Every structure is written in structure tokens, then in C-alpha cells.
Amino acid sequence: MNKERWLRYYESLLSKEEIEKAKRDDHAWRKPRPCGFTVHVAKGCSANCLYCYVTTKPKRNPLSPKALVYALLLNPHFEVEKSFVAIGAICEPLDYPDYTSQLIEELLKLGNPIQISTKEVNYELVPLLKKVDCLISMCIPFDEICKKFEPKRPPPSERLEFCREVEGGVFLRPILPMIDLETYKKGLEYIAEYTDRVILGNLRLTSVVKRKLGIKSLPKDYYERKTVLEKYAKELGLIVYRSACCSNAYKHNVVCWNRCWEKGFCSRCPNVCWIKVKS
């Protein structure tokens, strides 16, 4: 079904008030990011992870899941069945399990590649999360270290078990400069027991994060350390992505939305986008 027909479909379900609210929502006009269209279940988070730049109190999206999908369909940049969708930015989507599950069910109807990033564990959602690219996020997979940085989220040991159940990948984000390479290498060995896919994420060093972590800048060798970890992860047999969009593309067996192979940001994963795009 094309975009216009989907718009008419949702207009038949929504009230005039919901339609007008959706038209004013930023999902109806925001340009996509490199990972695709970031769909916000909420804005803000109360977990206060030490490396996170989000400090505002969480407020759930006022639109219903159907109205939120309608707003996305109104976006002139959004293409049905093609545009990548990413859930989990600036909030924890599984803090709102009912809303998020309804939203995913609606989005699945459109046929777009969907990705969700979460630090939470909810086994009731396993069947649904298997249908999308589910990334289980953590800064380090060791419970005692991780709780210093992510004190209000489930321990990584529980998240890794959940990752295996949803057939997801690990978003090792961010790689923290105060944790040594050998610890991260052991962490990758641990991760490899639960999944075959990992993304190595950068630390976004805003003024807020600098204050919370007590650092002024990233070490000069920060990105070199990431290169070392990428090489080691591959030696362990892990599929490594440098960007979340690549994981979404691999999961759904489609060409990467961001065309990372053209930008020097491709880790040459088994999805071989550069070959698929020619076929």
C-alpha cells in the first residue's frame, strides 16, 4: 500500500483533534538522521546514567501510537517500506512497554526496517522484539563496573540473557575512556557468548557529560582504542558495526540507509551492501 493510502487509512481511524495534533508534531517534518527516522516514545529519562547528555525528566509522547505513525507518514522525507526507523533516542522506550509495543505493531504494518535500542528487560515483549533489530545497550558487560555508570538499569548479565532471547545485538555504548582496553577485550569475550553482533559506540562529550564524569576531554588515542577493539571483536567471530544503521540493514537484509560503505564508515559486515545495491 502506498503512502497516500496509508495516510487515508489512519485518517479514518483518528479523530480530527488527533490528526491536527499529529500535524503539529515534529515527527511530521523532522529530517532523518544517519540511522534513519528517530521515533520518540518519550523525551527525557530519569535513569541519569553518568555518560548520558539527557537530563530532562521523562515525558511520554502525547500522541497515541496510531497518531504518531500518522505524523511520521506526513513527513515528506519518509518513504513507506524503505526509510529506516530507530526507536530509543533521548529516552528509554521500554519504560513505556504498552505504548512502545503498540507503536511497533503499527510500524510493522508499513514494512520499514525497524530498530529499537534499550537497556531494559521485558520478557513479555520477546516475540515482538524478535521481529525488529533489537539492540541491547550497555557501557560495559560487567555488573560491578556498569552499575557505577548505569545505577538505575538492570545489570548487564540480565540484559545479555535478554539479548539472546530477542536474538539481538549488543550496543556497547559508549566506550568509556576510563575503562582500560583489557577490560573491554574481556567484555567482548563475554558478549560473544550471547550474540554474534556488536556495535561500538562513541562517547558524546557535552558539557553536562564532562561534569558528570569529571573529565575535560577525550584521550588522544580514544578512537585508536576503538579500532583495536573492533579488530579484537572480529577475531572473536563477532560481526562489528560502526553505525546502528548497519545493524538494522543486516537484520532486515536490505542495503544500508546511510550508505556507510561510500563514506569510509563501513566495517565490511556480511550484509555486503556494496554488492546488493548493484543487483
Side-chain angles (χ1 to χ4, degrees), residues 29 60 122:
W29 51 263
R60 208 209 72 190
N122 188 325

Side-chain angles (χ1 to χ4, degrees), residues 25-81:
D25 188 85
D26 64 356
H27 290 85
W29 51 263
R30 260 196 296 113
K31 290 183 178 180
R33 297 180 60 80
C35 61
F37 286 84
T38 51
V39 177
H40 302 317
V41 168
K43 294 182 179 180
C45 182
S46 59
N48 197 32
C49 296
L50 289 188
Y51 53 75
C52 187
Y53 58 90
V54 178
T55 58
T56 55
K57 292 182 179 180
K59 185 177 181 181
R60 208 209 72 190
N61 194 307
L63 298 178
S64 69
K66 285 183 171 63
L68 180 50
V69 173
Y70 176 70
L72 191 62
L73 285 163
L74 287 170
N75 193 310
H77 306 285
F78 183 80
E79 296 181 86
V80 173
E81 296 183 353

Side-chain angles (χ1 to χ4, degrees), residues 93-269:
L94 296 195
D95 280 347
Y96 311 88
D98 293 339
Y99 185 94
T100 298
S101 60
Q102 290 173 39
L103 175 64
I104 291 174
E105 292 283 9
E106 292 298 322
L107 287 168
L108 283 168
K109 296 175 184 177
L110 304 182
N112 293 69
I114 302 167
Q115 182 178 76
I116 183 170
S117 178
T118 180
K119 292 186 178 77
E120 278 301 315
V121 173
N122 188 325
Y123 281 91
E124 291 183 3
L125 299 182
V126 167
L128 180 63
L129 295 180
K130 281 184 177 182
K131 298 177 182 179
V132 303
D133 183 33
C134 186
L135 301 180
I136 306 302
S137 182
M138 62 192 71
C139 64
I140 191 77
F142 300 120
D143 293 358
E144 288 303 310
I145 301 175
C146 189
K147 72 179 182 181
K148 298 175 184 177
F149 300 96
E150 303 171 6
K152 296 183 181 180
R153 294 300 177 193
S157 56
E158 293 182 14
R159 285 182 246 175
L160 286 170
E161 292 287 353
F162 186 59
C163 181
R164 179 154 55 193
E165 287 297 314
V166 298
E167 300 171 2
V170 167
F171 206 161
L172 199 59
R173 177 182 65 172
I175 302 296
L176 293 169
M178 61 282 299
I179 299 177
D180 64 84
L181 268 177
E182 290 306 310
T183 301
Y184 267 116
K185 284 183 176 180
K186 291 177 182 176
L188 288 168
E189 293 170 9
Y190 188 35
I191 287 169
E193 297 177 18
Y194 294 90
T195 182
D196 63 347
R197 301 185 291 130
V198 66
I199 304 172
L200 305 177
N202 294 328
L203 175 63
R204 182 176 175 181
L205 201 57
T206 64
S207 58
V208 171
V209 174
K210 287 178 183 179
R211 175 178 53 79
K212 288 164 72 175
L213 287 177
I215 61 175
K216 294 182 179 180
S217 62
L218 293 174
K220 292 182 179 180
D221 68 342
Y222 180 75
Y223 295 101
E224 293 175 18
R225 292 170 82 240
K226 277 191 62 183
T227 301
V228 170
L229 291 174
E230 179 181 323
K231 181 180 178 182
Y232 189 70
K234 288 181 176 179
E235 290 174 359
L236 293 171
L238 286 164
I239 300 169
V240 183
Y241 308 108
R242 294 174 183 168
S243 181
C245 55
C246 298
S247 177
N248 202 3
Y250 176 81
K251 175 73 175 186
H252 295 96
N253 194 29
V254 296
V255 172
C256 178
W257 159 273
N258 197 36
R259 300 179 74 91
C260 291
W261 75 93
E262 295 179 342
K263 303 175 181 180
F265 206 62
C266 176
S267 59
R268 314 300 280 185
C269 85

